[in-house]
Amino acid sequence: MIKDIRNFLNGLAFGVTQIIPGVSGGTIAIILGFYFELIETINHFFKDVRKNLRYIIPLLIGTLTGIVIFSSIVNFLLANYSFPTMLFFIGLIAGVIPHIFSKVRENGQKFMPADILLIVIPFVILVVISFLNAESAVDPAEIIANINVTFMIFIFAAGVVSAAALIIPGISGAFVLLLFGIYPLATYSVDSIRLLLTDFSNIALMMDICKVLVPLGLGMILGVLFMARLIEKLLKKYYRQVYLMMLGLLAGSVFALANHPMVYRSGISIAIILIGVTTFVLGCAASFYLGKKRL
């Protein structure tokens, strides 16, 4: 029972990260200590279906709950207190970096030139991505009303890529959706679920939600299955190299988040900066403590 509650809470945190472009679900999974267990469960699901369902179901329920319930809360915080909110997430990522670094230096291994390259390449990729201006003014309701089969295939493809990114630490699945131009449609559809729950007779709204979330969900399932298998194979053969790349991705993610326009959306003042420093320190402390126990 305690493990089920823990899995639900892990899913809750994982779900919240899917709302925020730039915050990686894979990173949060590492911080909370369930990343590698999740990869193994996905890849070996049919070896012990009952046991794996016991693990996946509360995690999945928590993720969906986090997305649906906290989308409005997170959007409110980002609209009104974006600086301290984003600095908290930046702190969460920064706090786990020392533990990943220690994994790389296990058994006293020294850094080689190739190791530096494995850190620098993913770091540079995220830095470049952070300068891409992906935000645009769109009317999600109007776009959804005119979605055709071709566009649904495009949404499916965006789901595959975003899910692959979602499971890679340091890369945000939500940000990938933003690059594809699907993020506003996805968040609008998720918010619409609450309206549908109050009026199940609204068939038009149900169809609009399905036109976005069904192909997106199917694409994400496929992306997760593919990437989970790939990462497990890489971990078995190239354990240290994977951690080196994770180190680069996490460091790049800190830069990408700090460089994101969303950080400064609600404005800056001396008081806000002081609060932001506090939330950053709290985020660092929380992830460092959790990482120390679970990594």
Side-chain angles (χ1 to χ4, degrees):
M1 185 64 181
I2 294 176
K3 189 174 181 180
D4 293 338
I5 294 172
R6 187 188 69 189
N7 289 338
F8 174 81
L9 293 175
N10 285 341
L12 208 63
F14 192 75
V16 171
T17 64
Q18 308 317 311
I19 305 165
I20 309 169
V23 179
S24 166
T27 301
I28 296 300
I30 286 178
I31 292 169
L32 295 177
F34 68 92
Y35 181 78
F36 299 106
E37 185 179 5
L38 177 61
I39 296 292
E40 185 178 357
T41 300
I42 292 171
N43 288 333
H44 304 285
F45 181 79
F46 293 105
K47 284 189 175 181
D48 192 338
V49 175
R50 185 175 179 180
K51 176 186 174 183
N52 291 330
L53 277 175
R54 180 75 183 270
Y55 173 80
I56 286 287
I57 288 175
L59 188 70
L60 184 59
I61 292 173
T63 300
L64 295 174
T65 302
I67 291 172
V68 173
I69 291 181
F70 288 98
S71 59
S72 295
I73 297 173
V74 171
N75 286 334
F76 172 81
L77 289 173
L78 290 175
N80 297 281
Y81 308 100
S82 62
F83 189 79
T85 302
M86 291 298 283
L87 255 66
F88 175 74
F89 286 108
I90 293 171
L92 282 177
I93 297 168
V96 80
I97 288 177
H99 298 303
I100 300 297
F101 184 82
S102 67
K103 288 284 186 181
V104 171
R105 293 295 305 275
E106 273 183 347
N107 303 320
Q109 295 187 68
K110 296 181 180 180
F111 280 100
M112 305 296 289
D115 296 340
I116 304 299
L117 202 59
L118 285 173
I119 296 173
V120 170
I121 289 175
F123 175 82
V124 170
I125 289 173
L126 286 187
V127 168
V128 171
I129 289 176
S130 74
F131 285 101
L132 296 177
N133 184 15
E135 292 190 277
S136 59
V138 297
D139 182 1
E142 184 179 344
I143 294 174
I144 292 171
N146 295 296
I147 285 179
N148 54 29
V149 174
T150 303
F151 197 83
M152 288 174 70
I153 293 172
F154 176 74
I155 293 173
F156 172 82
V160 172
V161 178
S162 70
L166 178 153
I167 209 166
I168 300 173
I171 301 181
S172 164
F175 187 71
V176 170
L177 289 180
L178 201 59
L179 292 176
F180 273 86
I182 303 299
Y183 181 75
L185 308 184
T187 54
Y188 179 85
S189 298
V190 170
D191 283 339
S192 297
I193 291 175
R194 285 175 299 165
L195 296 176
L196 184 64
L197 291 175
T198 62
D199 182 15
F200 282 108
S201 63
N202 194 338
I203 303 300
L205 179 61
M206 184 185 298
M207 293 300 295
D208 283 347
I209 292 171
C210 289
K211 282 192 291 185
V212 175
L213 296 187
V214 169
L216 183 64
L218 291 174
M220 293 183 76
I221 290 171
L222 182 63
V224 165
L225 291 174
F226 172 77
M227 189 53 62
R229 190 164 295 277
L230 176 62
I231 288 176
E232 185 180 51
K233 288 182 179 180
L234 290 174
L235 281 170
K236 286 181 178 178
K237 292 186 177 181
Y238 309 104
Y239 175 86
R240 187 167 182 271
Q241 287 82 355
V242 169
Y243 270 106
L244 284 164
M245 294 189 73
M246 283 184 180
L247 193 58
L249 287 168
L250 292 172
S253 185
V254 168
F255 180 91
L257 277 184
N259 190 49
H260 201 289
M262 192 179 295
V263 175
Y264 311 100
R265 178 178 292 174
S266 62
I268 299 293
S269 67
I270 297 298
I272 289 295
I273 291 173
L274 291 175
I275 295 171
V277 170
T278 303
T279 57
F280 175 79
V281 171
L282 288 174
C284 281
S287 63
F288 185 83
Y289 173 74
L290 290 170
K292 189 175 183 180
K293 292 183 68 176
R294 300 184 181 185
L295 284 176

